[in-house]
Each structure stands twice: as C-alpha cells, then as structure tokens.
C-alpha cells in the first residue's frame, strides 16, 4: 500500500512543489487549498508524470470543513502544514488588528485544526510525519513584520509543543523554516496584489530560494529513516545572512 501525504496550500508555491516532490518520491498525495482550478492543474501535472494525486478544496481556517475533509481520508502518513501567508507590512502602532487575526487564523489555527483532524489517521503506521512550514520570521522580528512574525512564532510554538507531547509515539514532528523564497504569490498577497511592491522584495537579490529548493528540503526531511527527526531546519538564500542583512546587486 502506498504512503499517503496530505499537503495544505498546495495550489501554488512551496505547497505545489512539495506535492510534486512527494509524488515523485512515491507518495500518494492529497492536495488542499481554496482554489480548485489551481489544485486540479497541479494534480493533472502529477498524474501526467506518473504520480498519484487528488485534491480537496478546503479553507484550513474553517473548522467544520476541516472535520468533513478528514472524514474522507482513510489513511495519512505525512501531513505537511504549509498553507499560510502574510498580510501587509504595517507598523504595530497602525496595523489593523483584523489583519493580525487573519494571519493567526491561517498560520496557527489552520495547522492546529488540520493536525487534530488527521492525527487519528496515523494509527496504521509506525512512521507518521507532521511537517510545519514556518519561517525565519518564527525566530526573529523585523520592522513592519509584527503580525506575521507573531503568527509564525505561534506556529513554531505549536510544532515544538507537539513534538514534546508526542514523544514516545511513532510520529516525527519536523519544522522547516525558510527565509526569502521567490514564489509567485507570497509577496503579491502580502501587498494586496501590488506587483511592483512584490517584485521589490526580491529586486537585485542573486538567487533567492525557489519553491523547489524548499520542497526538496521537505522531501529529504520526510524520507529520513523513521528514527531520525529533523526538529528544525532553517534555510536561506546565500545572499540573506539575516532578515535585515540581504545582499542586493544594483544594476
Ligand atoms: O506562498 P503562496 P508560499 N486555506 O502564497 C494557500 C511560508 N513562507 O508558497 O487557498 C487553505 O504561494 C494558498 O492557496 P489558495 C508561508 O508563510 C514563505 O511562498 O488557493 N489554503 C496557497 O496554495 C507559508 O506558510 C516564504 O489561495 C490556504 C498557499 O496557501 C508557506 O511558506 C518565506 C489558505 C500559499 O502559497 C508557503 O508559502 C517564509 C486557507 N485559508 C515562509 N490561505 C516566502 N515565500 O518568502 C492560503 O519564510 N492558502
């Protein structure tokens, strides 16, 4: 029987690349996100390459929908909590609290609900894996990043607490924390669709990480032997030594 991996936020960026990578590694993959057309396109691509994939349209912040989805899953070996994102770069004193709530909902409550709903589906295996896609924003702060860093710090706390609570169970809890990744939509969503502001994030940075770079890291961590838990793996582009220290080449 093939191993089953559920990936949230698989309609674009890191999640889609992770679904492709896990399918290549032999997993049957179940892709989750809100945009059905995108999910279908990624699934078709995986199937055309000989992989096994299906999708389920899901908003991870919707508790009832998450429970209903879990009822459709017989077996889950790997859960990749990847759905997430940032909204705005407003300073703490002028940020809209509703943006902070939305970031907390998708980056913390979403993974919480999905993990709770799918954990019972781990029972058949002696090597279940929960991956949590946090960020370098989970361990540091930066000006304008208060809402996002608060949410990602929360998601880091979820991963660490879960690892402690599941110690002794046949479950690995892996946190992958990337720095700057040039995906098509992350910064675009952050800046409300403003392409110029999104492009400026990566301007002049030689080789920011790609979605595939992160996906390969996730696949590597998941496919270690079952006694090897990659607790926390931080990866950044070489040009980004810290959140505030980015090498840019000016034309
Ligand atoms: O972002 P993007 P990335 N329910 O925007 C989905 C973290 N990270 O791949 O629902 C369900 O391409 C959304 O799909 P849809 C970041 O915080 C990134 O770059 O159809 N799904 C899409 O598939 C995040 O946790 C960078 O709109 C929901 C996906 O989530 C992860 O890496 C740096 C949803 C987001 O894909 C993937 O980011 C870093 C919901 N309510 C950490 N809301 C970076 N790119 O620089 C959204 O340190 N989605």
């Amino acid at each position: 029987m093939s191993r089953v991996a559920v990936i949230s936020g698989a309609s674009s960026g890191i999640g889609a690349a992770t679904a492709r990578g896990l399918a290549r590694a032999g997993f049957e993959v179940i892709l989750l996100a809100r945009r059905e057309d995108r999910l279908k396109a990624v699934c078709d691509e995986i199937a055309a390459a000989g992989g096994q994939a299906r999708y389920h349209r899901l908003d991870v912040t919707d508790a009832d929908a998450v429970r209903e989805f879990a009822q459709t899953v017989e077996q889950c070996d790997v859960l990749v909590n990847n759905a997430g994102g940032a909204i705005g770069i407003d300073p703490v004193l002028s940020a809209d609290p509703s943006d902070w709530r939305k970031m907390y909902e998708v980056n913390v409550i979403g993974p919480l609900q999905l993990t709770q709903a799918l954990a019972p589906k781990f029972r058949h295996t002696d090597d279940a894996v929960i991956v949590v896609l946090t960020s370098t924003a989970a361990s540091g702060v930066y000006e304008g990043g208060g809402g996002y860093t608060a949410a990602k710090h929360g998601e880091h706390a979820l991963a660490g607490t879960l690892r402690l609570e599941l110690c002794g169970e046949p479950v690995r809890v892996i946190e992958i924390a990337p720095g700057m990744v040039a995906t098509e939509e992350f910064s675009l969503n952050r800046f409300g669709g403003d392409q110029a502001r999104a492009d400026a994030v990566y301007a002049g940075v030689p080789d920011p990480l790609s979605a595939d770079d992160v996906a390969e890291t996730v696949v590597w961590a998941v496919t270690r032997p079952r006694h090897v838990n990659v607790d926390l793996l931080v990866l950044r582009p070489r040009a980004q030594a810290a959140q505030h220290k980015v090498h840019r080449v000016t034309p």
Side-chain angles (χ1 to χ4, degrees):
M1 206 154 77
S2 56
R3 292 191 16 104
V4 176
V6 175
I7 304 108
S8 73
S11 62
S12 64
I14 295 167
T18 300
R20 289 187 200 102
L22 286 171
R24 275 196 300 272
F27 286 86
E28 179 185 336
V29 290
I30 303 176
L31 287 70
L32 308 175
R34 296 164 302 177
R35 288 169 300 171
E36 200 164 351
D37 55 335
R38 296 288 198 117
L39 289 171
K40 184 175 181 315
V42 182
C43 278
D44 287 349
E45 203 187 308
I46 291 170
Q52 270 187 288
R54 63 189 163 99
Y55 67 87
H56 191 102
R57 193 166 63 80
L58 181 72
D59 181 339
V60 295
T61 68
D62 180 337
D64 291 339
V66 169
R67 270 194 297 272
E68 279 166 30
F69 159 67
Q71 283 168 11
T72 72
V73 177
E74 264 179 46
Q75 155 195 347
C76 176
D77 298 86
V78 175
L79 166 62
V80 182
N81 282 302
N82 164 77
I87 304 171
I89 49 160
D90 296 313
V92 171
L93 293 186
S94 56
D96 185 339
S98 82
D99 286 343
W100 281 51
R101 266 189 214 105
K102 284 182 199 149
M103 286 188 271
Y104 195 79
E105 282 285 333
V106 72
N107 290 291
V108 183
I109 304 299
L112 172 68
Q113 292 182 158
L114 209 46
T115 304
Q116 288 178 337
L118 288 179
K121 314 291 176 172
F122 290 158
R123 289 210 184 97
H124 66 286
T125 178
D126 62 358
D127 183 22
V129 187
I130 299 168
V131 178
V132 184
L133 234 302
T134 61
S135 172
T136 48
S139 56
V141 295
Y142 56 94
E143 291 142 296
Y148 183 57
T149 57
K152 286 299 191 188
H153 276 67
E155 196 176 8
H156 167 74
L158 181 154
T161 309
L162 197 56
R163 193 178 305 111
L164 293 173
E165 291 173 352
L166 293 180
C167 183
E169 301 289 330
V171 184
R172 292 184 280 148
V173 180
I174 295 172
E175 178 180 352
I176 305 291
M180 183 186 283
V181 193
T183 53
E184 276 174 33
E185 299 187 357
F186 177 81
S187 292
L188 200 58
N189 288 334
R190 179 169 214 170
F191 294 115
D194 185 330
Q195 188 70 59
R197 287 182 81 191
D199 290 345
V201 172
Y202 312 106
V205 179
D207 300 326
L209 294 177
S210 68
D212 282 336
D213 293 328
V214 183
E216 279 168 24
T217 305
V218 173
V219 174
W220 173 82
V222 166
T223 54
R224 291 312 84 211
R226 66 185 176 201
H227 65 288
V228 178
N229 199 100
V230 179
D231 283 13
L232 167 63
L233 196 155
V234 178
L235 71 160
R236 300 178 196 267
R238 191 174 61 187
Q240 185 188 34
Q243 218 78 350
H244 59 279
K245 179 76 178 173
V246 180
H247 172 63
R248 292 180 197 267
V249 179
T250 41

